[in-house]
Amino acid sequence: MKRRLVNGIISATTAMVLTVSGTAQPARAAIPWPQIAVAVVSYLYGGSGGGSDLERAKQEIIAAVETSKQEILNHIDAIAAADVEACTEAAVTKIAQIDSMPGSLLGPFVNGAVDCAALSNAYLNAVQDPRAADNIGKLMGVIHSIAMVAFAKYNLSTNDLLNGLIRGYENLVTKLAPACRDDTIREYDSLGRLVTVEITHTCVAYNGNSASGTELYYQGRPMNTIDRALISKNATRNTSRWTAQESLPTLIQLRPVA
């Protein structure tokens, strides 16, 4: 007779299983606006010939804002801090006119965009509610991209802005980390010897989306393995944490060496 010791409740399986639950996001354009920072930074730091391609970076951020303006404005409306909401809306509204602005307007616009990028990081640092952090996280790429393009138009270094975006995204990865757990089933033979161990690793994001994977050990030998980091990432696929994790490797690679 077999004895089973159960720690938690899981669905039994004998092979690796990776499952996700929650509403999938609709398909987007080739460069989704939440991930626009990667495209902008790529052109500013690795454009044609390895130099800066400001014009292409500018076109990308303007196109992203114009094609997704209502969705972006909806996220702006959800920001709890009035000053961050106001400066973000101003930057998003004015970026399309950056080439036609007279000097008297361009200077204040550039300063406002850069200040807004810093303000968004400060707001993210201060908030505790994951929904509030997610709202600003979804806009950080747009805010910093506008600021970087505006600064580059003045031939000013964008390195500090890029570093600020990287810090913000790293902060998001921590703040929006899902709750994860291991649920284990152990099976013994008739002599009380441990035969199989089945471990299901499940992560649940703040918005209720989840992902899980199951690994099996037979007589102490692993029959399959699971990627816990990937499960954690997939659980947050409908949050700005996923965008941050997708963007960070490229942003860090393109960041100039100090």
Side-chain angles (χ1 to χ4, degrees), residues 11 15 23 38 49-50 56 84 91-92 100 127-128 175 180 189 217 221 223 233 245 255:
S11 299
T23 304
V38 170
R56 188 61 189 273
V84 182
V92 167
S100 59
V127 297
Q128 299 300 318
K175 275 186 177 286
C180 299
D189 63 17
Y217 295 84
R221 298 189 301 273
M223 305 303 292
K233 178 181 176 182
Q245 289 186 289
R255 178 172 57 184

Side-chain angles (χ1 to χ4, degrees), residues 19-187:
T19 60
V20 295
S21 66
T23 304
Q25 290 183 320
R28 298 188 187 278
I31 302 178
W33 70 265
Q35 299 178 56
I36 190 63
V38 170
V40 169
V41 171
S42 295
Y43 286 119
L44 289 179
Y45 286 86
S48 56
S52 174
D53 191 344
L54 173 60
E55 187 60 33
R56 188 61 189 273
K58 184 171 57 183
Q59 291 173 2
E60 292 290 358
I61 185 59
I62 291 174
V65 168
E66 289 303 309
T67 57
S68 304
K69 180 170 285 186
Q70 189 54 56
E71 186 177 359
I72 293 171
L73 291 175
N74 289 342
H75 282 293
I76 292 173
D77 288 342
I79 297 176
D83 49 355
V84 182
E85 178 182 346
C87 73
T88 304
E89 184 167 356
V92 167
T93 302
K94 296 175 182 178
I95 183 61
Q97 287 76 46
I98 189 171
D99 284 335
S100 59
M101 288 182 187
S104 59
L105 294 179
L106 182 59
F109 168 73
V110 173
N111 285 333
V114 173
D115 289 346
C116 195
L119 197 59
S120 69
N121 271 18
Y123 175 67
L124 179 63
N125 286 333
V127 297
Q128 299 300 318
D129 177 54
R131 191 172 301 277
D134 195 14
N135 282 329
I136 193 63
K138 288 175 180 175
L139 293 165
M140 288 189 73
V142 170
I143 297 170
H144 282 75
S145 293
I146 292 173
M148 283 187 279
V149 166
F151 237 36
K153 188 173 176 65
Y154 262 126
N155 293 318
L156 298 172
S157 172
T158 58
N159 292 351
D160 287 343
L161 287 164
L162 175 55
N163 286 328
L165 178 59
I166 290 172
R167 287 194 303 271
Y169 275 169
E170 289 173 340
N171 194 0
L172 272 176
V173 172
T174 300
K175 275 186 177 286
L176 296 182
C180 299
R181 73 181 190 195
D182 281 341
D183 293 318
T184 305
I185 289 179
R186 297 179 176 87
E187 290 191 348

